[in-house]
Amino acid sequence: MSKKHNILLIQVDQMTAKVLPAYGHQVVKTPNLDKLASEGVVFENSYCNFPLCAPSRMSMLTGRYANTVGVWDNATEAPAETPTLMHYLRGMGYSTTLCGKMHFVGPDQLHGYEERVTTDIYPSNFSWAPNWEKGLGDRPTGINLSAVVNSGQCKRSLQIDYDDEVEYFGVRKIFDLARYEERPFFLTVSFTQPHSPFICRPEHWDLYDSDEIDMPRVPAMKEEDMDPMSKWIYYAHAGDLDQPTDDQIRNSRHAYYGMVSALDEKVGNLVAALKDCDLYEDTVIIFTSDHGDMLGERGQWYKQLFYEYSATVPLIISCPSLFSPKRIEKCVSLVDLTPTVLDIVTNGENYEVIDEFEGTSLVPLLKDGKDDDRLDQIIVEYTGEGALAPCRMVRRGSVKYIYTHGHDDIMYDLANDPLELTNIADLPEYADLRKELNAVALDGWNPTKIREQILASQKRRLFIAKQTDNDPVWAYKVFENDDQRYVRKAGAVQTKAFARIPRIENESAFK
């Protein structure tokens, strides 16, 4: 590792690891990701650290947990004084470019990136700020299950528009970097699919027969059988108003698989551009998602939960000149990516760390497939919209521990209970481990204090949003009208996100 390698981070949105053939799925078709996985390192138990877009991404780019940074939800402004991976890389002689979505909130729309070559797709202001004081059913984004009910095919949609734009400028940027940039590069190409609504082009829909689409393995739970966090999120998604039919569930998963295949093509085009520029062998490619999607498991949709479909993400790291193909069983998470990238580009040499990382480098696992010093343990937290109290999850080995502030603990042994159906928290044989994992969850994380901080932050942001009618927009402008394109304010997700061809009439069935 004597030279500085280029880094290409490919991120998608709301893709659970559970649907990829590289993670054992038998239906979804992703030939390009399959090849990347066969040539790279596949982390079999990889998690986001916060199953929601903005906090997950900020945790990944700082190497610190979102609550440590003070990012509570999808409408929290990350402090501009917070050092990110991009700040470190710029000091190490790298160019840093963002192409696509990152869901930064506030006037700082770069956070260390030197440039952005596209605008973002979702609001950069406080219009999606949640309000815990409203109690059960607060829906700041206006989200409901119409994204499931109206799943299917389309010729064009807002998300297809956006991802086509990101692909075009991402490929173009690779060629520009190869031609004009002397420095090594860190390029992030970040797509919005397969985020809901679940709609795909006919050519991707037709890759699958309806009869082969697998249905959820765990049926919908009765409300009285839900744990508190699941009940909160169920109401936040308007699940109490109605539930999709079996045909609608199958269509949603069908369209989701089509969206995954569409993204696979875009990944293939990015890799092809690297190869055309003779950059493939010496570029570290990282493929991941910000969080997963429940896809109807337990009757739940979208993200915001600690169950496997929501919290697991694909993580594939490939660089033929550095790492041989292998599969890693140890638990890892996105908070590990910043120290990992910095470890790669510094060849393991010391560098100044401004704020101590809460993630740890994956380079020993990438190189040797083992790391005796690394705990087989990760932490995931949630304080975003839909929740009514701070929540945290710890996975150690095969055991998952869930702490919901003010409520009983939950534990699952994934080795014996992969569908997470049996709560073992009260079993005597797990008492000592429960105590240990509770201490891990609460170490440096005070839920009472955090709740107070969140309520105060929500009050400030809601006041500002009300007084200003959700202005300013703060959208990053590459082109003149970028502050008007895509979703910019509250409620628009239920109009613009469904603006597709052909049009649909029943776009808000669950208001």
Side-chain angles (χ1 to χ4, degrees):
M1 296 184 7
S2 60
K3 63 177 290 186
K4 289 186 176 180
H5 287 74
N6 301 312
I7 312 290
L8 172 61
L9 170 62
I10 305 173
Q11 186 162 52
V12 296
D13 195 331
Q14 210 160 300
M15 182 188 286
T16 178
K18 301 298 183 182
V19 301
L20 291 183
Y23 289 83
H25 202 276
Q26 300 299 310
V27 176
V28 177
K29 299 175 175 64
T30 55
N32 294 295
L33 285 171
D34 294 350
K35 182 171 178 55
L36 191 70
S38 70
E39 297 176 348
V41 182
V42 178
F43 291 88
E44 296 180 341
N45 294 292
S46 176
Y47 288 80
C48 66
N49 300 101
F50 197 119
L52 194 67
C53 302
S56 175
R57 293 159 187 266
M58 187 51 64
S59 180
M60 177 187 72
L61 293 176
T62 61
R64 309 175 79 211
Y65 297 122
N67 283 181
T68 302
V69 180
V71 177
W72 315 116
D73 50 60
N74 257 351
T76 305
E77 177 184 3
E81 68 178 21
T82 303
T84 66
L85 170 61
M86 293 73 71
H87 291 118
Y88 286 102
L89 289 174
R90 288 173 70 170
M92 297 171 182
Y94 274 72
S95 71
T96 57
T97 302
L98 171 58
C99 176
K101 175 181 177 177
M102 200 49 72
H103 208 146
F104 291 143
V105 175
D108 186 352
Q109 287 294 304
L110 291 171
H111 284 287
Y113 284 106
E114 286 180 79
E115 63 172 347
R116 298 184 68 162
V117 294
T118 72
T119 188
D120 216 312
I121 189 170
Y122 285 146
S124 57
N125 55 15
F126 301 144
S127 63
W128 281 3
N131 185 357
W132 284 7
E133 291 186 346
K134 287 180 65 175
L136 204 62
D138 178 37
R139 293 188 283 136
T141 65
I143 197 69
N144 56 46
L145 293 183
S146 56
V148 178
V149 169
N150 293 299
S151 300
Q153 305 176 58
C154 70
K155 296 292 186 180
R156 298 297 305 182
S157 71
L158 175 125
Q159 296 197 125
I160 292 172
D161 287 346
Y162 187 78
D163 281 350
D164 283 355
E165 186 175 330
V166 171
E167 177 190 14
Y168 172 81
F169 284 104
V171 169
R172 175 175 167 175
K173 189 61 184 179
I174 289 172
F175 281 98
D176 287 347
L177 289 166
R179 288 182 293 176
Y180 307 127
E181 180 60 72
E182 297 297 326
R183 296 172 294 171
F185 64 78
F186 174 70
L187 171 62
T188 300
V189 181
S190 182
F191 299 102
T192 188
Q193 297 181 85
H195 192 289
S196 52
F198 306 122
I199 41 181
C200 67
R201 287 191 181 110
E203 61 264 32
H204 300 119
W205 177 274
D206 290 343
L207 291 172
Y208 304 94
D209 293 325
S210 180
D211 293 342
E212 68 179 333
I213 303 301
D214 52 319
M215 294 290 279
R217 295 179 298 170
V218 182
M221 298 282 182
K222 294 180 180 179
E223 193 174 316
E224 58 266 27
D225 296 329
M226 295 179 185
D227 60 89
M229 190 177 175
S230 293
K231 184 176 180 179
W232 298 341
I233 301 306
Y234 179 76
Y235 273 82
H237 295 158
D240 59 306
L241 301 183
D242 207 341
Q243 278 288 302
T245 66
D246 284 350
D247 285 344
Q248 290 166 342
I249 293 171
R250 189 181 301 277
N251 281 344
S252 294
R253 292 169 74 101
H254 191 156
Y256 186 92
Y257 295 174
M259 296 165 85
V260 171
S261 292
L263 284 169
D264 181 75
E265 292 179 4
K266 296 181 184 304
V267 170
N269 290 334
L270 291 168
V271 172
L274 288 175
K275 291 181 177 179
D276 285 344
C277 297
D278 294 325
L279 295 173
Y280 178 72
E281 290 292 325
D282 292 320
T283 296
V284 178
I285 302 174
I286 303 171
F287 176 82
T288 193
S289 179
D290 54 357
H291 50 73
D293 191 302
M294 289 297 292
L295 288 177
E297 296 289 337
R298 313 175 79 92
Q300 300 277 6
W301 294 89
Y302 318 136
K303 55 269 188 178
Q304 298 163 264
L305 291 166
F306 293 149
Y307 290 103
E308 291 290 280
Y309 266 74
S310 170
T312 61
V313 295
L315 180 59
I316 302 169
I317 301 179
S318 176
C319 183
S321 66
L322 284 181
F323 311 121
S324 60
K326 58 182 72 72
R327 301 183 71 90
I328 305 297
E329 293 185 5
K330 272 194 174 182
C331 294
V332 302
S333 63
L334 296 184
V335 76
D336 297 323
L337 285 187
T338 284
T340 298
V341 170
L342 294 177
D343 198 4
I344 291 172
V345 304
T346 60
N347 300 326
E349 297 179 0
N350 290 332
Y351 55 90
E352 182 183 12
V353 177
I354 302 302
D355 291 321
E356 184 177 355
F357 296 136
E358 292 174 297
T360 56
S361 174
L362 302 177
V363 167
L365 291 173
L366 289 165
K367 291 174 62 178
D368 302 323
K370 61 181 181 178
D371 182 357
D372 294 336
D373 295 328
R374 182 184 181 86
L375 288 174
D376 190 14
Q377 175 177 291
I378 57 92
I379 292 174
V380 186
E381 55 196 3
Y382 192 76
T383 55
E385 43 265 36
L388 297 180
C391 308
R392 230 178 193 203
M393 179 201 112
V394 181
R395 177 174 170 180
R396 178 187 291 176
S398 66
V399 176
K400 176 185 289 188
Y401 167 86
I402 298 175
Y403 173 90
T404 307
H405 188 52
H407 298 272
D408 293 338
D409 293 343
I410 301 171
M411 289 176 66
Y412 300 107
D413 184 350
L414 298 178
N416 300 311
D417 180 26
L419 298 183
E420 302 171 278
L421 295 174
T422 303
N423 182 8
I424 59 174
D426 292 329
L427 297 181
E429 58 266 39
Y430 287 95
D432 290 342
L433 181 57
R434 174 181 175 178
K435 185 176 180 180
E436 289 179 25
L437 296 183
N438 174 266
V440 172
L442 298 180
D443 184 23
W445 188 81
N446 184 326
T448 301
K449 182 178 179 181
I450 285 174
R451 177 176 170 79
E452 293 172 354
Q453 291 175 301
I454 290 170
L455 289 171
S457 173
Q458 289 177 355
K459 186 174 183 179
R460 290 191 298 268
R461 288 179 284 146
L462 289 165
F463 174 79
I464 291 172
K466 180 179 179 181
Q467 306 309 318
T468 63
D469 190 26
N470 292 309
D471 281 327
V473 170
W474 287 325
Y476 190 81
K477 292 176 65 173
V478 177
F479 300 106
E480 183 60 32
N481 67 337
D482 275 348
D483 57 342
Q484 301 169 42
R485 301 166 67 216
Y486 302 114
V487 181
R488 296 307 180 207
K489 292 190 178 184
V493 71
Q494 289 304 109
T495 53
K496 286 192 175 182
F498 284 95
R500 70 200 214 199
I501 299 296
R503 295 177 61 85
I504 57 174
E505 300 299 329
N506 190 29
E507 66 184 29
S508 298
F510 293 87
K511 280 186 176 179

